[in-house]
Amino acid sequence: MSVSPTHNELFEQHRVAVLIPTYNNATTLAAVLEDALSYTHHVIVVNDGATDNTHEILAANPLIQLVSYSPNRGKGIALRRGFSYAKEQGYDYVITMDADGQHFASDLPILLNKITEDPNALVIGARNLQQENMPGKNTFANKFSNFWFYVETGLKGPDTQSGYRLYPLHRMGNTRYWCTKYEFEIEVLVRSAWKGIKIDWAPVQVYYPPAEERVSHFRPFRDFSRISVLNTVLVFITLIYIKPRDVIRYLSKWDNWKKMWRDEVLNPTESNAKKAAAIGFGVFMGIIPIWGFQLLVAILLSIKFKLNKALVVLAAHVSTPPLTIGVLYASFVTGELFMGQKSRDLIFMGQTLDTIKHTIKANFLQYVLGACSLAVTAGIVAWLVSFALLSVFRKNKQLQNAQ
């Protein structure tokens, strides 16, 4: 079989192998191998416990590198064993192709060339999800996966379920993965993004045969349930660990503080009204009685409403210690307008923190009503004062610059 010398040289130059996991794909495997071997002889096949005549097809292709085991363990295990084998053979990258004939080897150069653009990126071959014969369940599943990938990583992409991928093994390291089935391709993508590996996309072709000719080992209920459980776990880890970790890492660098001050706080292209709105909203969120979640909700809503996140977060610190006691007392006093409880009945002087907490708990409704009213009032006042000061300050600065 003739091999494209140009492409094969690139595979060798970048130490790339094509990795093809297979399980009972005897009807399509031979054509897939012939297609891939026409571009390079660096082809690794993982026989995931096939029970058809796959072994005969593999035996007829002595150029391939083979990993074989039994019984069937699932696509996740096949890919993980393929990764390990490739690293043992000295490869820095693998390009994964499915054995069911969906992928075209003619797209291998597209993924291969991505190494030159960014040698550390994990690249996904993005399919045209609107083409003929595309199963409706695949389109829905992909949109579902894209949404949760965005929640878990903050990255938007056109196709997170494509199995046609370029994996930078040298960047992925020795990560221990949990998943063994189809959901592995979601896990490896999310955890690579968490590790700081750039996720990129490149357009590729895809072939979906008519429904009566299609062979799939995907079990809709069982596999979709496993994917749902995985996404639940990943979202939990994202909220509890990944997001706080990223914030701490970002704020630990002085250059980021300077950039945030210049681009977010000072931002000369942002209007006075919008800056003031961010400050007013931050004050509102700092007082509203959702203790423990104020900053998280403030950040999420500032993103939703496209407010200045830095100003929102700074203004929300209106209720941080030692100001917390003052905000609690002011909320209780404001609640007197609704409940009639005299503010002098809430005496803080000389009391311990536990006693203060007990006193507030005994008058909880008055506090909640007062805090909500105070939050709205303080937010409006902060907006008006900020708008007035910004109008004067920025106008004077513009005049000075003009002179």
Coordinates of all heavy atoms in Angstrom, one line a residue, residues 228-295:
S228 N -25.0 12.0 32.2 CA -25.7 12.9 33.1 C -25.0 12.9 34.5 O -24.8 14.0 35.1 CB -27.2 12.6 33.2 OG -27.8 12.7 31.9
V229 N -24.7 11.7 35.0 CA -24.1 11.6 36.3 C -22.7 12.3 36.3 O -22.3 13.0 37.2 CB -23.9 10.1 36.7 CG1 -23.1 10.0 38.0 CG2 -25.3 9.5 37.0
L230 N -22.0 12.0 35.2 CA -20.6 12.6 35.1 C -20.7 14.2 35.1 O -20.0 14.8 35.7 CB -20.0 12.2 33.8 CG -18.6 12.9 33.4 CD1 -17.6 12.6 34.5 CD2 -18.1 12.4 32.0
N231 N -21.7 14.7 34.3 CA -21.8 16.2 34.2 C -22.2 16.7 35.6 O -21.7 17.8 36.0 CB -22.9 16.6 33.2 CG -22.3 16.6 31.8 OD1 -21.2 17.1 31.6 ND2 -23.0 16.0 30.8
T232 N -23.0 16.0 36.3 CA -23.4 16.5 37.7 C -22.1 16.6 38.6 O -21.9 17.6 39.3 CB -24.4 15.5 38.3 OG1 -25.6 15.4 37.5 CG2 -24.8 15.9 39.7
V233 N -21.3 15.5 38.5 CA -20.1 15.5 39.3 C -19.1 16.7 38.8 O -18.5 17.4 39.7 CB -19.3 14.2 39.2 CG1 -18.0 14.2 39.8 CG2 -20.2 13.1 39.8
L234 N -19.0 16.8 37.5 CA -18.1 17.8 37.0 C -18.5 19.3 37.3 O -17.7 20.1 37.7 CB -17.9 17.7 35.5 CG -17.2 16.4 35.0 CD1 -17.2 16.4 33.4 CD2 -15.8 16.4 35.5
V235 N -19.8 19.5 37.3 CA -20.4 20.8 37.7 C -20.1 21.1 39.2 O -19.7 22.2 39.6 CB -21.9 20.9 37.4 CG1 -22.5 22.2 38.0 CG2 -22.1 20.9 35.9
F236 N -20.3 20.1 40.0 CA -20.1 20.2 41.4 C -18.6 20.6 41.7 O -18.3 21.5 42.4 CB -20.4 18.9 42.2 CG -20.2 18.9 43.6 CD1 -21.0 19.6 44.5 CD2 -19.0 18.3 44.2 CE1 -20.8 19.6 45.9 CE2 -18.8 18.4 45.5 CZ -19.7 19.0 46.4
I237 N -17.7 19.8 41.0 CA -16.3 20.1 41.2 C -15.9 21.5 40.7 O -15.1 22.3 41.3 CB -15.4 19.1 40.5 CG1 -15.6 17.7 41.1 CG2 -13.9 19.4 40.5 CD1 -14.9 16.6 40.4
T238 N -16.6 21.9 39.6 CA -16.3 23.2 39.0 C -16.7 24.3 40.0 O -15.9 25.3 40.2 CB -17.2 23.4 37.7 OG1 -16.8 22.5 36.7 CG2 -17.0 24.8 37.2
L239 N -17.9 24.2 40.6 CA -18.3 25.3 41.6 C -17.6 25.3 42.9 O -17.3 26.3 43.4 CB -19.8 25.1 41.8 CG -20.8 25.2 40.6 CD1 -22.2 25.0 41.0 CD2 -20.6 26.6 40.1
I240 N -17.2 24.1 43.4 CA -16.6 23.9 44.7 C -15.1 24.2 44.6 O -14.5 24.8 45.5 CB -16.9 22.6 45.3 CG1 -18.4 22.4 45.5 CG2 -16.1 22.4 46.6 CD1 -19.0 23.4 46.4
Y241 N -14.4 23.7 43.5 CA -13.0 23.8 43.5 C -12.4 24.6 42.3 O -11.6 25.5 42.5 CB -12.4 22.4 43.5 CG -10.9 22.3 43.2 CD1 -10.0 22.8 44.2 CD2 -10.4 21.8 42.1 CE1 -8.7 22.8 44.0 CE2 -9.0 21.8 41.8 CZ -8.2 22.3 42.8 OH -6.8 22.3 42.6
I242 N -12.8 24.3 41.1 CA -12.2 24.8 39.9 C -12.3 26.4 39.8 O -11.4 27.1 39.6 CB -12.7 24.2 38.6 CG1 -12.4 22.7 38.6 CG2 -12.1 24.9 37.4 CD1 -10.9 22.4 38.7
K243 N -13.6 26.9 40.0 CA -13.8 28.3 39.8 C -13.1 29.1 40.9 O -12.4 30.1 40.7 CB -15.3 28.6 39.9 CG -16.1 28.1 38.6 CD -15.5 28.7 37.4 CE -16.3 28.3 36.1 NZ -15.8 28.8 34.9
P244 N -13.2 28.7 42.2 CA -12.4 29.4 43.3 C -10.9 29.3 43.0 O -10.2 30.3 43.2 CB -12.8 28.6 44.5 CG -14.2 28.1 44.3 CD -14.1 27.7 42.8
R245 N -10.4 28.1 42.6 CA -9.0 28.0 42.3 C -8.6 29.0 41.2 O -7.5 29.6 41.3 CB -8.7 26.6 41.8 CG -7.3 26.3 41.4 CD -7.1 25.2 40.5 NE -7.7 25.5 39.1 CZ -7.7 24.7 38.1 NH1 -7.2 23.5 38.2 NH2 -8.2 25.0 36.9
D246 N -9.4 29.1 40.1 CA -9.0 30.0 39.0 C -9.0 31.5 39.5 O -8.2 32.3 39.0 CB -10.0 29.8 37.8 CG -9.8 28.4 37.2 OD1 -8.8 27.8 37.4 OD2 -10.7 28.1 36.4
V247 N -10.0 31.8 40.3 CA -10.1 33.2 40.8 C -8.8 33.5 41.7 O -8.2 34.6 41.5 CB -11.4 33.4 41.7 CG1 -11.3 34.7 42.4 CG2 -12.6 33.4 40.7
I248 N -8.5 32.6 42.6 CA -7.3 32.8 43.4 C -6.0 32.9 42.6 O -5.2 33.7 42.8 CB -7.2 31.6 44.4 CG1 -8.3 31.7 45.4 CG2 -5.8 31.7 45.2 CD1 -8.4 30.5 46.4
R249 N -5.9 32.0 41.6 CA -4.7 32.1 40.7 C -4.7 33.4 40.0 O -3.6 34.0 39.8 CB -4.8 30.9 39.7 CG -4.4 29.6 40.3 CD -4.5 28.5 39.2 NE -4.1 27.2 39.7 CZ -4.1 26.1 38.9 NH1 -4.5 26.1 37.7 NH2 -3.7 24.9 39.5
Y250 N -5.8 33.9 39.5 CA -5.9 35.1 38.7 C -5.5 36.3 39.6 O -4.7 37.2 39.3 CB -7.3 35.3 38.2 CG -7.4 36.6 37.3 CD1 -7.1 36.5 36.0 CD2 -7.9 37.8 37.8 CE1 -7.2 37.7 35.2 CE2 -8.0 38.9 37.1 CZ -7.7 38.8 35.7 OH -7.8 40.0 34.9
L251 N -6.1 36.3 40.8 CA -5.8 37.5 41.7 C -4.5 37.4 42.4 O -4.0 38.4 43.0 CB -6.9 37.5 42.8 CG -8.4 37.7 42.3 CD1 -9.3 37.7 43.5 CD2 -8.5 39.1 41.6
S252 N -3.8 36.3 42.3 CA -2.5 36.2 42.9 C -1.4 36.8 42.1 O -0.2 37.0 42.5 CB -2.1 34.7 43.2 OG -2.0 34.0 41.9
K253 N -1.7 37.3 40.9 CA -0.8 37.9 40.0 C -1.0 39.4 39.9 O -2.1 39.8 39.5 CB -0.9 37.3 38.6 CG -0.5 35.8 38.5 CD -0.7 35.2 37.1 CE -0.3 33.7 37.1 NZ -0.5 33.1 35.8
W254 N 0.0 40.2 40.2 CA -0.1 41.6 40.2 C -0.5 42.2 38.9 O -1.3 43.2 38.8 CB 1.2 42.2 40.7 CG 1.2 43.7 40.7 CD1 2.0 44.5 40.0 CD2 0.3 44.6 41.5 NE1 1.7 45.9 40.2 CE2 0.7 45.9 41.1 CE3 -0.7 44.4 42.4 CZ2 0.1 47.0 41.7 CZ3 -1.3 45.5 42.9 CH2 -1.0 46.8 42.6
D255 N 0.0 41.6 37.8 CA -0.3 42.1 36.5 C -1.8 42.0 36.2 O -2.3 42.8 35.5 CB 0.5 41.3 35.4 CG 2.0 41.7 35.4 OD1 2.3 42.7 35.9 OD2 2.8 40.9 34.8
N256 N -2.4 41.0 36.7 CA -3.9 40.8 36.5 C -4.6 41.9 37.2 O -5.7 42.4 36.8 CB -4.3 39.5 37.0 CG -3.9 38.4 36.0 OD1 -3.6 38.6 34.9 ND2 -3.7 37.1 36.6
W257 N -4.2 42.3 38.4 CA -4.8 43.4 39.2 C -4.7 44.7 38.3 O -5.7 45.5 38.2 CB -4.1 43.6 40.5 CG -4.6 42.6 41.5 CD1 -4.0 41.4 41.9 CD2 -5.8 42.7 42.3 NE1 -4.7 40.8 42.8 CE2 -5.8 41.5 43.2 CE3 -6.8 43.7 42.5 CZ2 -6.8 41.3 44.1 CZ3 -7.8 43.4 43.4 CH2 -7.8 42.3 44.2
K258 N -3.5 45.0 37.8 CA -3.3 46.2 37.0 C -4.2 46.1 35.7 O -4.8 47.2 35.4 CB -1.9 46.3 36.6 CG -0.9 46.6 37.8 CD 0.5 47.0 37.3 CE 1.2 45.9 36.7 NZ 2.6 46.2 36.3
K259 N -4.3 45.0 35.1 CA -5.1 44.8 33.9 C -6.6 45.0 34.3 O -7.3 45.7 33.5 CB -4.9 43.5 33.3 CG -5.7 43.2 32.0 CD -5.3 41.9 31.4 CE -6.0 41.7 30.1 NZ -7.5 41.7 30.1
M260 N -7.0 44.4 35.4 CA -8.4 44.6 35.8 C -8.8 46.0 36.1 O -9.8 46.5 35.8 CB -8.7 43.7 37.0 CG -10.1 43.6 37.5 SD -10.4 42.3 38.7 CE -9.3 42.8 40.0
W261 N -7.8 46.7 36.8 CA -8.1 48.1 37.1 C -8.2 49.0 35.9 O -9.1 49.8 35.7 CB -6.9 48.6 38.0 CG -7.1 50.1 38.4 CD1 -6.5 51.2 37.8 CD2 -8.0 50.6 39.4 NE1 -6.9 52.3 38.4 CE2 -7.8 52.1 39.3 CE3 -8.8 50.1 40.3 CZ2 -8.5 52.9 40.2 CZ3 -9.5 50.9 41.2 CH2 -9.3 52.3 41.1
R262 N -7.3 48.7 34.9 CA -7.2 49.5 33.7 C -8.4 49.1 32.7 O -9.1 50.0 32.2 CB -5.9 49.2 32.9 CG -5.8 50.0 31.6 CD -4.5 49.6 30.9 NE -4.4 48.3 30.5 CZ -3.6 47.3 31.1 NH1 -2.9 47.6 32.1 NH2 -3.6 46.1 30.6
D263 N -8.7 47.8 32.6 CA -9.7 47.4 31.6 C -11.1 47.4 32.1 O -12.1 47.7 31.4 CB -9.4 46.0 31.0 CG -8.1 46.0 30.3 OD1 -7.6 47.1 29.9 OD2 -7.5 44.9 30.1
E264 N -11.2 47.1 33.4 CA -12.6 47.0 34.0 C -13.0 48.2 34.8 O -14.1 48.8 34.5 CB -12.6 45.7 34.9 CG -12.4 44.4 34.2 CD -13.5 44.0 33.3 OE1 -14.7 44.5 33.5 OE2 -13.3 43.2 32.4
V265 N -12.2 48.6 35.7 CA -12.6 49.7 36.6 C -12.5 51.1 35.8 O -13.5 51.8 35.8 CB -11.7 49.8 37.8 CG1 -12.1 51.0 38.7 CG2 -11.8 48.5 38.7
L266 N -11.4 51.3 35.2 CA -11.2 52.6 34.5 C -11.9 52.6 33.1 O -12.5 53.6 32.7 CB -9.8 53.0 34.3 CG -9.0 53.2 35.6 CD1 -7.5 53.5 35.3 CD2 -9.6 54.2 36.5
N267 N -11.9 51.5 32.4 CA -12.5 51.3 31.1 C -13.1 52.6 30.5 O -14.2 52.9 30.7 CB -13.6 50.3 31.2 CG -14.1 49.9 29.8 OD1 -13.7 50.4 28.8 ND2 -15.0 48.9 29.8
P268 N -12.3 53.3 29.7 CA -12.7 54.6 29.2 C -13.9 54.5 28.2 O -14.6 55.5 28.0 CB -11.5 55.2 28.5 CG -10.7 54.0 28.2 CD -11.0 53.0 29.3
T269 N -14.2 53.4 27.7 CA -15.3 53.2 26.7 C -16.6 53.0 27.4 O -17.6 53.0 26.7 CB -15.0 52.1 25.7 OG1 -14.9 50.8 26.5 CG2 -13.6 52.2 25.0
E270 N -16.6 52.8 28.7 CA -17.9 52.5 29.4 C -18.5 53.8 29.9 O -17.8 54.6 30.4 CB -17.6 51.5 30.5 CG -18.8 50.9 31.1 CD -18.4 49.8 32.2 OE1 -17.6 50.1 33.0 OE2 -19.0 48.7 32.1
S271 N -19.8 53.9 29.7 CA -20.5 55.1 30.1 C -20.5 55.3 31.6 O -20.4 54.3 32.4 CB -21.9 55.1 29.6 OG -22.7 54.1 30.2
N272 N -20.7 56.5 32.1 CA -20.9 56.8 33.5 C -22.1 56.0 34.1 O -22.0 55.5 35.2 CB -21.1 58.3 33.8 CG -19.8 59.1 33.4 OD1 -18.7 58.5 33.4 ND2 -20.0 60.3 33.1
A273 N -23.2 56.0 33.3 CA -24.4 55.3 33.8 C -24.2 53.8 34.1 O -24.6 53.3 35.1 CB -25.5 55.5 32.8
K274 N -23.4 53.2 33.1 CA -23.2 51.8 33.3 C -22.2 51.5 34.4 O -22.4 50.5 35.2 CB -22.6 51.2 32.0 CG -22.8 49.7 31.9 CD -22.7 49.2 30.5 CE -23.0 47.7 30.4 NZ -23.0 47.2 29.0
K275 N -21.2 52.3 34.6 CA -20.3 52.1 35.7 C -21.1 52.3 37.1 O -20.9 51.5 38.0 CB -19.1 53.1 35.7 CG -18.1 52.8 34.6 CD -16.9 53.8 34.7 CE -15.9 53.5 33.7 NZ -15.1 52.3 34.0
A276 N -21.9 53.4 37.1 CA -22.7 53.6 38.3 C -23.6 52.5 38.6 O -23.9 52.1 39.7 CB -23.4 54.9 38.2
A277 N -24.2 51.9 37.5 CA -25.1 50.8 37.7 C -24.4 49.6 38.3 O -25.0 48.9 39.2 CB -25.7 50.4 36.4
A278 N -23.2 49.4 37.9 CA -22.4 48.3 38.4 C -22.1 48.5 39.9 O -22.2 47.6 40.7 CB -21.1 48.1 37.7
I279 N -21.8 49.7 40.3 CA -21.5 50.0 41.7 C -22.8 49.9 42.5 O -22.8 49.2 43.6 CB -21.0 51.4 41.8 CG1 -19.6 51.5 41.2 CG2 -20.9 51.9 43.3 CD1 -19.0 52.9 41.1
G280 N -23.9 50.4 42.0 CA -25.2 50.3 42.7 C -25.6 48.9 42.9 O -26.1 48.4 44.0
F281 N -25.4 48.1 41.8 CA -25.8 46.7 41.9 C -24.9 45.9 42.9 O -25.4 45.0 43.6 CB -25.7 46.0 40.5 CG -26.1 44.6 40.5 CD1 -27.4 44.1 40.6 CD2 -25.1 43.6 40.3 CE1 -27.7 42.8 40.6 CE2 -25.4 42.3 40.3 CZ -26.7 41.9 40.5
G282 N -23.6 46.2 42.9 CA -22.7 45.6 43.8 C -23.1 45.9 45.3 O -23.1 45.0 46.1
V283 N -23.5 47.1 45.6 CA -23.9 47.5 46.9 C -25.2 46.7 47.3 O -25.3 46.2 48.4 CB -24.1 49.0 47.0 CG1 -24.8 49.4 48.4 CG2 -22.8 49.8 46.9
F284 N -26.1 46.7 46.3 CA -27.4 45.9 46.5 C -27.1 44.4 46.9 O -27.6 43.9 47.8 CB -28.2 46.0 45.3 CG -29.4 45.0 45.3 CD1 -30.6 45.4 45.9 CD2 -29.3 43.8 44.6 CE1 -31.6 44.5 45.9 CE2 -30.4 42.9 44.6 CZ -31.5 43.3 45.2
M285 N -26.2 43.8 46.1 CA -25.8 42.4 46.3 C -25.1 42.2 47.6 O -25.2 41.1 48.3 CB -25.0 41.8 45.2 CG -25.8 41.7 43.9 SD -27.2 40.6 44.0 CE -26.6 39.2 44.8
G286 N -24.3 43.2 48.1 CA -23.6 43.1 49.3 C -24.5 43.1 50.5 O -24.1 42.6 51.6
I287 N -25.7 43.7 50.4 CA -26.6 43.8 51.6 C -27.7 42.8 51.5 O -28.2 42.3 52.6 CB -27.2 45.2 51.6 CG1 -26.0 46.3 51.8 CG2 -28.2 45.4 52.7 CD1 -26.5 47.7 51.7
I288 N -28.1 42.4 50.3 CA -29.3 41.4 50.2 C -29.0 40.2 51.1 O -27.9 39.7 51.1 CB -29.5 41.1 48.7 CG1 -30.9 40.6 48.5 CG2 -28.5 40.1 48.2 CD1 -31.9 41.7 48.5
P289 N -29.9 39.7 51.8 CA -29.7 38.6 52.8 C -29.6 37.2 52.2 O -30.4 36.3 52.5 CB -30.9 38.7 53.7 CG -32.0 39.2 52.9 CD -31.3 40.2 51.9
I290 N -28.5 37.0 51.4 CA -28.2 35.6 51.0 C -26.8 35.4 51.3 O -25.9 35.0 50.5 CB -28.5 35.5 49.5 CG1 -27.7 36.6 48.7 CG2 -29.9 35.5 49.1 CD1 -27.8 36.4 47.1
W291 N -26.5 35.5 52.6 CA -25.1 35.3 53.1 C -24.5 34.0 52.7 O -25.1 33.0 52.7 CB -25.1 35.4 54.6 CG -25.6 36.8 55.1 CD1 -26.9 37.0 55.5 CD2 -24.9 38.0 55.2 NE1 -27.0 38.4 55.8 CE2 -25.8 39.0 55.7 CE3 -23.5 38.3 54.9 CZ2 -25.4 40.3 55.9 CZ3 -23.2 39.6 55.1 CH2 -24.1 40.6 55.6
G292 N -23.2 34.1 52.2 CA -22.5 32.9 51.8 C -22.5 32.8 50.2 O -21.7 32.1 49.6
F293 N -23.6 33.4 49.6 CA -23.7 33.3 48.2 C -23.7 34.7 47.5 O -23.9 34.8 46.3 CB -25.0 32.6 47.8 CG -25.1 31.2 48.4 CD1 -25.7 30.9 49.6 CD2 -24.5 30.1 47.6 CE1 -25.7 29.6 50.1 CE2 -24.6 28.8 48.1 CZ -25.2 28.6 49.3
Q294 N -23.5 35.7 48.2 CA -23.6 37.1 47.7 C -22.6 37.3 46.5 O -23.1 37.8 45.5 CB -23.4 38.1 48.8 CG -24.5 38.2 49.8 CD -24.2 39.0 51.0 OE1 -23.1 38.8 51.6 NE2 -25.0 39.9 51.4
L295 N -21.4 37.0 46.7 CA -20.4 37.3 45.7 C -20.6 36.4 44.5 O -20.5 36.8 43.3 CB -19.0 37.1 46.2 CG -18.3 38.3 46.9 CD1 -16.9 37.9 47.4 CD2 -18.3 39.5 46.0

